[in-house]
PDB file of all heavy atoms in Angstrom:
ATOM      1  N   GLY A   1      -1.886  10.070  -0.393  1.00  0.00           N
ATOM      2  CA  GLY A   1      -0.570   9.541  -0.019  1.00  0.00           C
ATOM      3  C   GLY A   1       0.072   8.778  -1.171  1.00  0.00           C
ATOM      4  O   GLY A   1      -0.307   8.909  -2.333  1.00  0.00           O
ATOM      5  N   ARG A   2       1.051   7.979  -0.805  1.00  0.00           N
ATOM      6  CA  ARG A   2       1.840   7.257  -1.824  1.00  0.00           C
ATOM      7  C   ARG A   2       1.107   6.014  -2.340  1.00  0.00           C
ATOM      8  O   ARG A   2       0.505   5.288  -1.566  1.00  0.00           O
ATOM      9  CB  ARG A   2       3.182   6.841  -1.258  1.00  0.00           C
ATOM     10  CG  ARG A   2       4.058   8.014  -0.863  1.00  0.00           C
ATOM     11  CD  ARG A   2       5.440   7.516  -0.468  1.00  0.00           C
ATOM     12  NE  ARG A   2       6.284   8.597   0.015  1.00  0.00           N
ATOM     13  CZ  ARG A   2       6.415   8.909   1.302  1.00  0.00           C
ATOM     14  NH1 ARG A   2       5.753   8.187   2.197  1.00  0.00           N
ATOM     15  NH2 ARG A   2       7.147   9.893   1.686  1.00  0.00           N
ATOM     16  N   LEU A   3       1.206   5.780  -3.612  1.00  0.00           N
ATOM     17  CA  LEU A   3       0.717   4.553  -4.227  1.00  0.00           C
ATOM     18  C   LEU A   3       1.896   3.577  -4.270  1.00  0.00           C
ATOM     19  O   LEU A   3       2.961   3.915  -4.793  1.00  0.00           O
ATOM     20  CB  LEU A   3       0.222   4.833  -5.630  1.00  0.00           C
ATOM     21  CG  LEU A   3      -0.190   3.634  -6.477  1.00  0.00           C
ATOM     22  CD1 LEU A   3      -1.502   3.082  -5.977  1.00  0.00           C
ATOM     23  CD2 LEU A   3      -0.302   4.015  -7.944  1.00  0.00           C
ATOM     24  N   MET A   4       1.745   2.376  -3.683  1.00  0.00           N
ATOM     25  CA  MET A   4       2.818   1.393  -3.723  1.00  0.00           C
ATOM     26  C   MET A   4       2.524   0.414  -4.849  1.00  0.00           C
ATOM     27  O   MET A   4       1.513  -0.272  -4.820  1.00  0.00           O
ATOM     28  CB  MET A   4       2.942   0.653  -2.398  1.00  0.00           C
ATOM     29  CG  MET A   4       4.269  -0.060  -2.256  1.00  0.00           C
ATOM     30  SD  MET A   4       4.249  -1.323  -0.995  1.00  0.00           S
ATOM     31  CE  MET A   4       3.467  -2.641  -1.884  1.00  0.00           C
ATOM     32  N   LEU A   5       3.419   0.379  -5.809  1.00  0.00           N
ATOM     33  CA  LEU A   5       3.231  -0.453  -6.986  1.00  0.00           C
ATOM     34  C   LEU A   5       4.492  -1.281  -7.217  1.00  0.00           C
ATOM     35  O   LEU A   5       5.599  -0.724  -7.253  1.00  0.00           O
ATOM     36  CB  LEU A   5       2.948   0.425  -8.212  1.00  0.00           C
ATOM     37  CG  LEU A   5       2.851  -0.271  -9.568  1.00  0.00           C
ATOM     38  CD1 LEU A   5       1.626  -1.151  -9.608  1.00  0.00           C
ATOM     39  CD2 LEU A   5       2.790   0.742 -10.693  1.00  0.00           C
ATOM     40  N   ASP A   6       4.356  -2.578  -7.299  1.00  0.00           N
ATOM     41  CA  ASP A   6       5.506  -3.437  -7.587  1.00  0.00           C
ATOM     42  C   ASP A   6       5.101  -4.425  -8.651  1.00  0.00           C
ATOM     43  O   ASP A   6       4.147  -5.189  -8.479  1.00  0.00           O
ATOM     44  CB  ASP A   6       5.959  -4.146  -6.308  1.00  0.00           C
ATOM     45  CG  ASP A   6       7.086  -5.138  -6.607  1.00  0.00           C
ATOM     46  OD1 ASP A   6       7.996  -4.749  -7.357  1.00  0.00           O
ATOM     47  OD2 ASP A   6       7.041  -6.279  -6.134  1.00  0.00           O
ATOM     48  N   ALA A   7       5.824  -4.409  -9.757  1.00  0.00           N
ATOM     49  CA  ALA A   7       5.543  -5.337 -10.866  1.00  0.00           C
ATOM     50  C   ALA A   7       6.669  -6.375 -10.909  1.00  0.00           C
ATOM     51  O   ALA A   7       7.668  -6.199 -11.612  1.00  0.00           O
ATOM     52  CB  ALA A   7       5.441  -4.614 -12.180  1.00  0.00           C
ATOM     53  N   THR A   8       6.562  -7.432 -10.117  1.00  0.00           N
ATOM     54  CA  THR A   8       7.596  -8.443  -9.978  1.00  0.00           C
ATOM     55  C   THR A   8       7.581  -9.372 -11.193  1.00  0.00           C
ATOM     56  O   THR A   8       6.602 -10.069 -11.445  1.00  0.00           O
ATOM     57  CB  THR A   8       7.399  -9.265  -8.701  1.00  0.00           C
ATOM     58  OG1 THR A   8       7.403  -8.378  -7.585  1.00  0.00           O
ATOM     59  CG2 THR A   8       8.488 -10.297  -8.531  1.00  0.00           C
ATOM     60  N   ASN A   9       8.692  -9.380 -11.940  1.00  0.00           N
ATOM     61  CA  ASN A   9       8.852 -10.228 -13.124  1.00  0.00           C
ATOM     62  C   ASN A   9       7.775  -9.971 -14.191  1.00  0.00           C
ATOM     63  O   ASN A   9       7.526 -10.796 -15.069  1.00  0.00           O
ATOM     64  CB  ASN A   9       8.795 -11.716 -12.740  1.00  0.00           C
ATOM     65  CG  ASN A   9      10.004 -12.138 -11.925  1.00  0.00           C
ATOM     66  OD1 ASN A   9      11.018 -11.420 -11.906  1.00  0.00           O
ATOM     67  ND2 ASN A   9       9.911 -13.266 -11.249  1.00  0.00           N
ATOM     68  N   ALA A  10       7.110  -8.826 -14.144  1.00  0.00           N
ATOM     69  CA  ALA A  10       6.071  -8.520 -15.112  1.00  0.00           C
ATOM     70  C   ALA A  10       6.640  -7.651 -16.223  1.00  0.00           C
ATOM     71  O   ALA A  10       7.730  -7.055 -16.095  1.00  0.00           O
ATOM     72  CB  ALA A  10       4.898  -7.798 -14.445  1.00  0.00           C
ATOM     73  N   SER A  11       5.936  -7.568 -17.339  1.00  0.00           N
ATOM     74  CA  SER A  11       6.376  -6.719 -18.435  1.00  0.00           C
ATOM     75  C   SER A  11       6.241  -5.258 -18.021  1.00  0.00           C
ATOM     76  O   SER A  11       5.508  -4.903 -17.109  1.00  0.00           O
ATOM     77  CB  SER A  11       5.551  -6.998 -19.691  1.00  0.00           C
ATOM     78  OG  SER A  11       4.171  -6.872 -19.425  1.00  0.00           O
ATOM     79  N   PRO A  12       7.000  -4.346 -18.708  1.00  0.00           N
ATOM     80  CA  PRO A  12       7.029  -2.918 -18.299  1.00  0.00           C
ATOM     81  C   PRO A  12       5.646  -2.285 -18.274  1.00  0.00           C
ATOM     82  O   PRO A  12       4.759  -2.632 -19.067  1.00  0.00           O
ATOM     83  CB  PRO A  12       7.941  -2.269 -19.339  1.00  0.00           C
ATOM     84  CG  PRO A  12       8.810  -3.391 -19.826  1.00  0.00           C
ATOM     85  CD  PRO A  12       7.931  -4.614 -19.822  1.00  0.00           C
ATOM     86  N   LEU A  13       5.497  -1.302 -17.370  1.00  0.00           N
ATOM     87  CA  LEU A  13       4.230  -0.606 -17.201  1.00  0.00           C
ATOM     88  C   LEU A  13       4.499   0.900 -17.125  1.00  0.00           C
ATOM     89  O   LEU A  13       5.413   1.328 -16.405  1.00  0.00           O
ATOM     90  CB  LEU A  13       3.544  -1.082 -15.909  1.00  0.00           C
ATOM     91  CG  LEU A  13       2.310  -0.327 -15.422  1.00  0.00           C
ATOM     92  CD1 LEU A  13       1.151  -0.540 -16.393  1.00  0.00           C
ATOM     93  CD2 LEU A  13       1.933  -0.757 -14.026  1.00  0.00           C
ATOM     94  N   ASP A  14       3.731   1.697 -17.864  1.00  0.00           N
ATOM     95  CA  ASP A  14       3.837   3.154 -17.802  1.00  0.00           C
ATOM     96  C   ASP A  14       3.115   3.634 -16.536  1.00  0.00           C
ATOM     97  O   ASP A  14       1.888   3.753 -16.514  1.00  0.00           O
ATOM     98  CB  ASP A  14       3.223   3.779 -19.037  1.00  0.00           C
ATOM     99  CG  ASP A  14       3.460   5.303 -19.108  1.00  0.00           C
ATOM    100  OD1 ASP A  14       3.581   5.915 -18.037  1.00  0.00           O
ATOM    101  OD2 ASP A  14       3.472   5.864 -20.202  1.00  0.00           O
ATOM    102  N   GLU A  15       3.872   3.868 -15.483  1.00  0.00           N
ATOM    103  CA  GLU A  15       3.260   4.186 -14.188  1.00  0.00           C
ATOM    104  C   GLU A  15       2.511   5.502 -14.217  1.00  0.00           C
ATOM    105  O   GLU A  15       1.456   5.640 -13.557  1.00  0.00           O
ATOM    106  CB  GLU A  15       4.326   4.216 -13.102  1.00  0.00           C
ATOM    107  CG  GLU A  15       4.906   2.843 -12.790  1.00  0.00           C
ATOM    108  CD  GLU A  15       5.834   2.862 -11.572  1.00  0.00           C
ATOM    109  OE1 GLU A  15       5.640   3.740 -10.715  1.00  0.00           O
ATOM    110  OE2 GLU A  15       6.740   2.030 -11.508  1.00  0.00           O
ATOM    111  N   ASP A  16       3.016   6.509 -14.938  1.00  0.00           N
ATOM    112  CA  ASP A  16       2.313   7.785 -14.999  1.00  0.00           C
ATOM    113  C   ASP A  16       0.916   7.627 -15.580  1.00  0.00           C
ATOM    114  O   ASP A  16      -0.076   8.117 -15.000  1.00  0.00           O
ATOM    115  CB  ASP A  16       3.104   8.775 -15.879  1.00  0.00           C
ATOM    116  CG  ASP A  16       4.090   9.596 -15.051  1.00  0.00           C
ATOM    117  OD1 ASP A  16       4.086   9.433 -13.806  1.00  0.00           O
ATOM    118  OD2 ASP A  16       4.866  10.356 -15.631  1.00  0.00           O
ATOM    119  N   SER A  17       0.808   6.933 -16.707  1.00  0.00           N
ATOM    120  CA  SER A  17      -0.491   6.725 -17.347  1.00  0.00           C
ATOM    121  C   SER A  17      -1.391   5.907 -16.449  1.00  0.00           C
ATOM    122  O   SER A  17      -2.607   6.156 -16.350  1.00  0.00           O
ATOM    123  CB  SER A  17      -0.314   6.022 -18.700  1.00  0.00           C
ATOM    124  OG  SER A  17       0.451   6.803 -19.572  1.00  0.00           O
ATOM    125  N   PHE A  18      -0.811   4.905 -15.794  1.00  0.00           N
ATOM    126  CA  PHE A  18      -1.611   4.051 -14.924  1.00  0.00           C
ATOM    127  C   PHE A  18      -2.184   4.829 -13.745  1.00  0.00           C
ATOM    128  O   PHE A  18      -3.374   4.704 -13.419  1.00  0.00           O
ATOM    129  CB  PHE A  18      -0.744   2.898 -14.414  1.00  0.00           C
ATOM    130  CG  PHE A  18      -1.464   2.004 -13.418  1.00  0.00           C
ATOM    131  CD1 PHE A  18      -2.553   1.257 -13.792  1.00  0.00           C
ATOM    132  CD2 PHE A  18      -1.020   1.942 -12.110  1.00  0.00           C
ATOM    133  CE1 PHE A  18      -3.219   0.451 -12.878  1.00  0.00           C
ATOM    134  CE2 PHE A  18      -1.661   1.150 -11.174  1.00  0.00           C
ATOM    135  CZ  PHE A  18      -2.773   0.404 -11.588  1.00  0.00           C
ATOM    136  N   ILE A  19      -1.366   5.659 -13.125  1.00  0.00           N
ATOM    137  CA  ILE A  19      -1.838   6.432 -11.977  1.00  0.00           C
ATOM    138  C   ILE A  19      -2.912   7.437 -12.401  1.00  0.00           C
ATOM    139  O   ILE A  19      -3.921   7.615 -11.705  1.00  0.00           O
ATOM    140  CB  ILE A  19      -0.656   7.150 -11.296  1.00  0.00           C
ATOM    141  CG1 ILE A  19       0.248   6.112 -10.618  1.00  0.00           C
ATOM    142  CG2 ILE A  19      -1.125   8.165 -10.253  1.00  0.00           C
ATOM    143  CD1 ILE A  19       1.565   6.663 -10.093  1.00  0.00           C
ATOM    144  N   ASP A  20      -2.721   8.082 -13.556  1.00  0.00           N
ATOM    145  CA  ASP A  20      -3.741   9.011 -14.047  1.00  0.00           C
ATOM    146  C   ASP A  20      -5.068   8.277 -14.288  1.00  0.00           C
ATOM    147  O   ASP A  20      -6.141   8.768 -13.933  1.00  0.00           O
ATOM    148  CB  ASP A  20      -3.276   9.678 -15.346  1.00  0.00           C
ATOM    149  CG  ASP A  20      -2.147  10.670 -15.106  1.00  0.00           C
ATOM    150  OD1 ASP A  20      -1.955  11.067 -13.935  1.00  0.00           O
ATOM    151  OD2 ASP A  20      -1.464  11.033 -16.081  1.00  0.00           O
ATOM    152  N   TRP A  21      -4.973   7.102 -14.900  1.00  0.00           N
ATOM    153  CA  TRP A  21      -6.203   6.317 -15.166  1.00  0.00           C
ATOM    154  C   TRP A  21      -6.834   5.893 -13.844  1.00  0.00           C
ATOM    155  O   TRP A  21      -8.063   5.965 -13.686  1.00  0.00           O
ATOM    156  CB  TRP A  21      -5.827   5.079 -15.981  1.00  0.00           C
ATOM    157  CG  TRP A  21      -6.994   4.125 -16.135  1.00  0.00           C
ATOM    158  CD1 TRP A  21      -7.985   4.161 -17.074  1.00  0.00           C
ATOM    159  CD2 TRP A  21      -7.265   2.990 -15.301  1.00  0.00           C
ATOM    160  NE1 TRP A  21      -8.855   3.134 -16.870  1.00  0.00           N
ATOM    161  CE2 TRP A  21      -8.461   2.400 -15.815  1.00  0.00           C
ATOM    162  CE3 TRP A  21      -6.644   2.423 -14.210  1.00  0.00           C
ATOM    163  CZ2 TRP A  21      -9.015   1.262 -15.222  1.00  0.00           C
ATOM    164  CZ3 TRP A  21      -7.207   1.299 -13.627  1.00  0.00           C
ATOM    165  CH2 TRP A  21      -8.372   0.735 -14.110  1.00  0.00           C
ATOM    166  N   LEU A  22      -6.024   5.463 -12.891  1.00  0.00           N
ATOM    167  CA  LEU A  22      -6.557   5.001 -11.616  1.00  0.00           C
ATOM    168  C   LEU A  22      -7.312   6.127 -10.893  1.00  0.00           C
ATOM    169  O   LEU A  22      -8.390   5.905 -10.341  1.00  0.00           O
ATOM    170  CB  LEU A  22      -5.392   4.510 -10.761  1.00  0.00           C
ATOM    171  CG  LEU A  22      -5.736   3.746  -9.473  1.00  0.00           C
ATOM    172  CD1 LEU A  22      -6.550   2.512  -9.766  1.00  0.00           C
ATOM    173  CD2 LEU A  22      -4.439   3.382  -8.741  1.00  0.00           C
ATOM    174  N   ASP A  23      -6.745   7.324 -10.897  1.00  0.00           N
ATOM    175  CA  ASP A  23      -7.417   8.463 -10.259  1.00  0.00           C
ATOM    176  C   ASP A  23      -8.765   8.758 -10.931  1.00  0.00           C
ATOM    177  O   ASP A  23      -9.749   9.098 -10.254  1.00  0.00           O
ATOM    178  CB  ASP A  23      -6.527   9.686 -10.279  1.00  0.00           C
ATOM    179  CG  ASP A  23      -5.351   9.571  -9.333  1.00  0.00           C
ATOM    180  OD1 ASP A  23      -5.411   8.728  -8.426  1.00  0.00           O
ATOM    181  OD2 ASP A  23      -4.366  10.317  -9.499  1.00  0.00           O
ATOM    182  N   GLU A  24      -8.813   8.622 -12.241  1.00  0.00           N
ATOM    183  CA  GLU A  24     -10.069   8.840 -12.965  1.00  0.00           C
ATOM    184  C   GLU A  24     -11.127   7.807 -12.567  1.00  0.00           C
ATOM    185  O   GLU A  24     -12.302   8.119 -12.380  1.00  0.00           O
ATOM    186  CB  GLU A  24      -9.836   8.772 -14.472  1.00  0.00           C
ATOM    187  CG  GLU A  24      -9.018   9.953 -15.024  1.00  0.00           C
ATOM    188  CD  GLU A  24      -8.694   9.763 -16.500  1.00  0.00           C
ATOM    189  OE1 GLU A  24      -9.136   8.723 -17.080  1.00  0.00           O
ATOM    190  OE2 GLU A  24      -8.017  10.618 -17.067  1.00  0.00           O
ATOM    191  N   GLN A  25     -10.708   6.555 -12.435  1.00  0.00           N
ATOM    192  CA  GLN A  25     -11.633   5.499 -12.043  1.00  0.00           C
ATOM    193  C   GLN A  25     -12.203   5.722 -10.653  1.00  0.00           C
ATOM    194  O   GLN A  25     -13.401   5.546 -10.416  1.00  0.00           O
ATOM    195  CB  GLN A  25     -10.961   4.119 -12.124  1.00  0.00           C
ATOM    196  CG  GLN A  25     -10.446   3.756 -13.487  1.00  0.00           C
ATOM    197  CD  GLN A  25     -11.517   3.842 -14.564  1.00  0.00           C
ATOM    198  OE1 GLN A  25     -12.576   3.211 -14.466  1.00  0.00           O
ATOM    199  NE2 GLN A  25     -11.242   4.652 -15.583  1.00  0.00           N
ATOM    200  N   LEU A  26     -11.342   6.102  -9.724  1.00  0.00           N
ATOM    201  CA  LEU A  26     -11.809   6.379  -8.378  1.00  0.00           C
ATOM    202  C   LEU A  26     -12.836   7.498  -8.346  1.00  0.00           C
ATOM    203  O   LEU A  26     -13.784   7.481  -7.572  1.00  0.00           O
ATOM    204  CB  LEU A  26     -10.615   6.733  -7.468  1.00  0.00           C
ATOM    205  CG  LEU A  26      -9.655   5.599  -7.138  1.00  0.00           C
ATOM    206  CD1 LEU A  26      -8.460   6.123  -6.357  1.00  0.00           C
ATOM    207  CD2 LEU A  26     -10.353   4.495  -6.332  1.00  0.00           C
ATOM    208  N   ASP A  27     -12.628   8.466  -9.190  1.00  0.00           N
ATOM    209  CA  ASP A  27     -13.554   9.602  -9.274  1.00  0.00           C
ATOM    210  C   ASP A  27     -14.913   9.163  -9.830  1.00  0.00           C
ATOM    211  O   ASP A  27     -15.950   9.741  -9.471  1.00  0.00           O
ATOM    212  CB  ASP A  27     -12.929  10.696 -10.154  1.00  0.00           C
ATOM    213  CG  ASP A  27     -13.679  12.003 -10.052  1.00  0.00           C
ATOM    214  OD1 ASP A  27     -13.983  12.427  -8.925  1.00  0.00           O
ATOM    215  OD2 ASP A  27     -14.012  12.586 -11.099  1.00  0.00           O
ATOM    216  N   GLU A  28     -14.900   8.141 -10.703  1.00  0.00           N
ATOM    217  CA  GLU A  28     -16.139   7.700 -11.358  1.00  0.00           C
ATOM    218  C   GLU A  28     -16.942   6.688 -10.536  1.00  0.00           C
ATOM    219  O   GLU A  28     -18.184   6.663 -10.598  1.00  0.00           O
ATOM    220  CB  GLU A  28     -15.811   7.092 -12.719  1.00  0.00           C
ATOM    221  CG  GLU A  28     -15.296   8.079 -13.758  1.00  0.00           C
ATOM    222  CD  GLU A  28     -14.927   7.374 -15.042  1.00  0.00           C
ATOM    223  OE1 GLU A  28     -15.159   6.136 -15.144  1.00  0.00           O
ATOM    224  OE2 GLU A  28     -14.401   8.040 -15.964  1.00  0.00           O
ATOM    225  N   ILE A  29     -16.256   5.839  -9.790  1.00  0.00           N
ATOM    226  CA  ILE A  29     -16.903   4.720  -9.106  1.00  0.00           C
ATOM    227  C   ILE A  29     -17.736   5.200  -7.930  1.00  0.00           C
ATOM    228  O   ILE A  29     -17.250   5.936  -7.070  1.00  0.00           O
ATOM    229  CB  ILE A  29     -15.875   3.683  -8.648  1.00  0.00           C
ATOM    230  CG1 ILE A  29     -15.214   3.005  -9.869  1.00  0.00           C
ATOM    231  CG2 ILE A  29     -16.505   2.627  -7.745  1.00  0.00           C
ATOM    232  CD1 ILE A  29     -14.089   2.080  -9.517  1.00  0.00           C
ATOM    233  N   ALA A  30     -18.994   4.759  -7.888  1.00  0.00           N
ATOM    234  CA  ALA A  30     -19.864   5.024  -6.751  1.00  0.00           C
ATOM    235  C   ALA A  30     -19.914   3.753  -5.887  1.00  0.00           C
ATOM    236  O   ALA A  30     -20.464   2.740  -6.297  1.00  0.00           O
ATOM    237  CB  ALA A  30     -21.267   5.412  -7.219  1.00  0.00           C
ATOM    238  N   ALA A  31     -19.321   3.828  -4.695  1.00  0.00           N
ATOM    239  CA  ALA A  31     -19.293   2.673  -3.798  1.00  0.00           C
ATOM    240  C   ALA A  31     -19.388   3.154  -2.368  1.00  0.00           C
ATOM    241  O   ALA A  31     -18.762   4.152  -1.988  1.00  0.00           O
ATOM    242  CB  ALA A  31     -17.994   1.882  -4.007  1.00  0.00           C
ATOM    243  N   ASP A  32     -20.138   2.418  -1.546  1.00  0.00           N
ATOM    244  CA  ASP A  32     -20.348   2.824  -0.171  1.00  0.00           C
ATOM    245  C   ASP A  32     -19.281   2.304   0.768  1.00  0.00           C
ATOM    246  O   ASP A  32     -19.022   2.914   1.817  1.00  0.00           O
ATOM    247  CB  ASP A  32     -21.726   2.347   0.313  1.00  0.00           C
ATOM    248  CG  ASP A  32     -22.869   3.031  -0.428  1.00  0.00           C
ATOM    249  OD1 ASP A  32     -22.670   4.197  -0.833  1.00  0.00           O
ATOM    250  OD2 ASP A  32     -23.914   2.388  -0.591  1.00  0.00           O
ATOM    251  N   THR A  33     -18.644   1.190   0.431  1.00  0.00           N
ATOM    252  CA  THR A  33     -17.666   0.563   1.322  1.00  0.00           C
ATOM    253  C   THR A  33     -16.411   0.238   0.537  1.00  0.00           C
ATOM    254  O   THR A  33     -16.388   0.227  -0.705  1.00  0.00           O
ATOM    255  CB  THR A  33     -18.206  -0.727   1.925  1.00  0.00           C
ATOM    256  OG1 THR A  33     -18.400  -1.694   0.880  1.00  0.00           O
ATOM    257  CG2 THR A  33     -19.546  -0.473   2.638  1.00  0.00           C
ATOM    258  N   LEU A  34     -15.330  -0.060   1.272  1.00  0.00           N
ATOM    259  CA  LEU A  34     -14.084  -0.476   0.636  1.00  0.00           C
ATOM    260  C   LEU A  34     -14.275  -1.768  -0.155  1.00  0.00           C
ATOM    261  O   LEU A  34     -13.700  -1.950  -1.242  1.00  0.00           O
ATOM    262  CB  LEU A  34     -12.987  -0.674   1.677  1.00  0.00           C
ATOM    263  CG  LEU A  34     -12.381   0.593   2.308  1.00  0.00           C
ATOM    264  CD1 LEU A  34     -11.310   0.203   3.316  1.00  0.00           C
ATOM    265  CD2 LEU A  34     -11.782   1.487   1.236  1.00  0.00           C
ATOM    266  N   ALA A  35     -15.088  -2.671   0.390  1.00  0.00           N
ATOM    267  CA  ALA A  35     -15.351  -3.928  -0.319  1.00  0.00           C
ATOM    268  C   ALA A  35     -16.029  -3.676  -1.652  1.00  0.00           C
ATOM    269  O   ALA A  35     -15.676  -4.290  -2.684  1.00  0.00           O
ATOM    270  CB  ALA A  35     -16.195  -4.857   0.556  1.00  0.00           C
ATOM    271  N   ASP A  36     -17.009  -2.772  -1.659  1.00  0.00           N
ATOM    272  CA  ASP A  36     -17.691  -2.418  -2.906  1.00  0.00           C
ATOM    273  C   ASP A  36     -16.728  -1.749  -3.884  1.00  0.00           C
ATOM    274  O   ASP A  36     -16.798  -1.977  -5.095  1.00  0.00           O
ATOM    275  CB  ASP A  36     -18.889  -1.503  -2.628  1.00  0.00           C
ATOM    276  CG  ASP A  36     -20.002  -2.198  -1.862  1.00  0.00           C
ATOM    277  OD1 ASP A  36     -20.034  -3.447  -1.902  1.00  0.00           O
ATOM    278  OD2 ASP A  36     -20.847  -1.511  -1.251  1.00  0.00           O
ATOM    279  N   LEU A  37     -15.877  -0.894  -3.359  1.00  0.00           N
ATOM    280  CA  LEU A  37     -14.908  -0.205  -4.224  1.00  0.00           C
ATOM    281  C   LEU A  37     -13.965  -1.215  -4.860  1.00  0.00           C
ATOM    282  O   LEU A  37     -13.702  -1.140  -6.060  1.00  0.00           O
ATOM    283  CB  LEU A  37     -14.123   0.816  -3.376  1.00  0.00           C
ATOM    284  CG  LEU A  37     -13.021   1.556  -4.133  1.00  0.00           C
ATOM    285  CD1 LEU A  37     -13.573   2.381  -5.279  1.00  0.00           C
ATOM    286  CD2 LEU A  37     -12.228   2.455  -3.165  1.00  0.00           C
TER     287      LEU A  37
END
């Protein structure tokens, strides 16, 4: 589904690169629960 990202008063962020990186991390992380994730 949709990723909700809001950078309030923060410096600019390349959302495309961030989302690609985030998907890679989720693929790598081994966690049994949401808390562990």
